[in-house]
Amino acid sequence: MAHVDLPKFPTRPGYMTEKIQRDYIQAAMDKNLLPTQANRMADILSLTAPRDGSKPIQFWQLYSVLGQDPIVEIVQSFYRRVFEQDDWFRSVFERVGGINHHINTQASMWIDVMGGGPYYHGAEFRLNFHHTHNAMQLMNDKGAALWSKLMLETLDASSHLKEGDPRIRASINTFLSFFMDKYADDFAFENRSFFGATNPPYKRKINFMKMTEQAIEALSDAELSEALSERGVDVSQYEGKAAKVKKALMM
């Protein structure tokens, strides 16, 4: 994919953006989805999606690509489905408020996390209070399964995700999967949610000539091997990280 002219929409941090960003980056580093220096990499921390179409969009960068209207429309479509469900599911939402209440609060939370600014007052405290008091009846396998099914149907039907930048859907899937994993841990239910392909592991472009000796030594063995291989080096001839670092310093 070629370079994309971004941002399309101005961004600013919300009440939840930075905290959720830190939590996700740490979890992704633990799973080797992001490099170990991700919490210091400007293109990952930025609220603007990468212009290089080969790099994934982090979900706190989604507002820079989508803006407000598509996010609200996705949430609207989802809650129309919610309010068409059987009473055991729908009634939990109705006790809190009507469909417009849920659209407004959910869209505010998404926009806040996705880099659109401070919209979700109360941040994580408010979100946690909602799930432990208002929605506790659905914080289980049965409730999560139906919620995820309705969201998957919503995303599959959204025209905003079928056209334009193909990275957007993977980023939204990553956003939803991260929160569902968190809820599965917090409420001890089995998470079987699947929204589609998530962001692939981040491939860092490494240029040894522009790096200090300390920066090269800080690279992982896997990063060194891949970067050397891309430059035509037979890494099988270099056993151990120290040997690879020495070779990289010569390039």
Side-chain angles (χ1 to χ4, degrees), residues 12-45:
R12 55 185 178 140
Y15 295 112
M16 295 181 65
T17 318
E18 292 181 1
K19 171 63 164 57
I20 298 301
Q21 182 188 69
R22 288 196 303 270
D23 290 349
Y24 172 77
I25 288 175
Q26 185 59 59
M29 288 193 299
D30 292 344
K31 297 176 181 178
N32 295 318
L33 295 173
L34 289 177
T36 53
Q37 300 86 5
N39 53 8
R40 298 191 298 275
M41 293 173 64
D43 62 333
I44 290 178
L45 296 176

Side-chain angles (χ1 to χ4, degrees), residues 168-239:
I168 294 172
R169 174 65 188 270
S171 183
I172 293 177
N173 293 344
T174 302
F175 163 72
L176 294 168
S177 297
F178 172 69
F179 275 94
M180 290 302 290
D181 283 344
K182 179 182 184 301
Y183 300 149
D185 289 341
D186 290 347
F187 296 95
F189 60 80
E190 182 181 353
N191 180 22
R192 295 185 297 274
S193 301
F194 180 74
F195 304 100
T198 54
N199 282 351
Y202 183 95
K203 290 189 68 174
R204 182 181 177 190
K205 288 187 176 180
I206 296 173
N207 186 340
F208 295 130
M209 295 181 65
K210 294 184 178 180
M211 298 175 68
T212 65
E213 181 176 349
Q214 291 75 18
I216 292 174
E217 290 174 345
L219 295 172
S220 68
D221 188 270
E223 288 173 325
L224 282 163
S225 296
E226 184 174 357
L228 288 168
S229 295
E230 289 176 351
R231 287 157 181 77
V233 176
D234 181 2
V235 293
S236 66
Q237 302 299 313
Y238 300 88
E239 185 175 350

Side-chain angles (χ1 to χ4, degrees), residues 53-200:
S54 68
K55 292 184 177 180
I57 296 174
Q58 307 305 326
F59 58 75
W60 50 87
Q61 300 169 341
L62 280 166
Y63 191 89
S64 72
V65 183
L66 289 172
Q68 178 173 305
D69 290 348
I71 294 172
V72 173
E73 288 175 24
I74 290 170
V75 174
Q76 283 177 329
S77 179
F78 170 72
Y79 276 105
R80 291 191 192 105
R81 287 173 167 82
V82 166
F83 277 76
E84 292 172 353
Q85 301 307 304
D86 292 340
D87 184 65
W88 73 269
F89 189 79
R90 185 186 67 250
S91 63
V92 176
F93 296 89
E94 288 177 330
R95 285 200 300 269
V96 178
I99 186 171
N100 289 332
H101 167 82
H102 289 283
I103 290 170
N104 290 337
T105 55
Q106 181 87 319
S108 295
M109 181 268 190
W110 281 37
I111 290 169
D112 190 290
V113 172
M114 293 176 178
Y119 279 85
Y120 193 70
H121 298 273
E124 276 198 292
F125 176 84
R126 177 182 178 184
L127 187 64
N128 294 335
F129 183 91
H130 169 67
H131 288 130
T132 55
H133 292 76
N134 299 330
M136 190 63 184
Q137 187 177 335
L138 299 180
M139 303 306 290
N140 50 49
D141 287 322
K142 184 179 179 182
L146 182 52
W147 194 100
S148 299
K149 174 179 178 292
L150 298 177
M151 181 56 74
L152 180 58
E153 291 174 357
T154 300
L155 297 178
D156 286 346
S158 175
S159 61
H160 300 292
L161 306 180
K162 295 179 180 179
E163 304 168 359
D165 196 327
R167 300 175 296 168
I168 294 172
R169 174 65 188 270
S171 183
I172 293 177
N173 293 344
T174 302
F175 163 72
L176 294 168
S177 297
F178 172 69
F179 275 94
M180 290 302 290
D181 283 344
K182 179 182 184 301
Y183 300 149
D185 289 341
D186 290 347
F187 296 95
F189 60 80
E190 182 181 353
N191 180 22
R192 295 185 297 274
S193 301
F194 180 74
F195 304 100
T198 54
N199 282 351

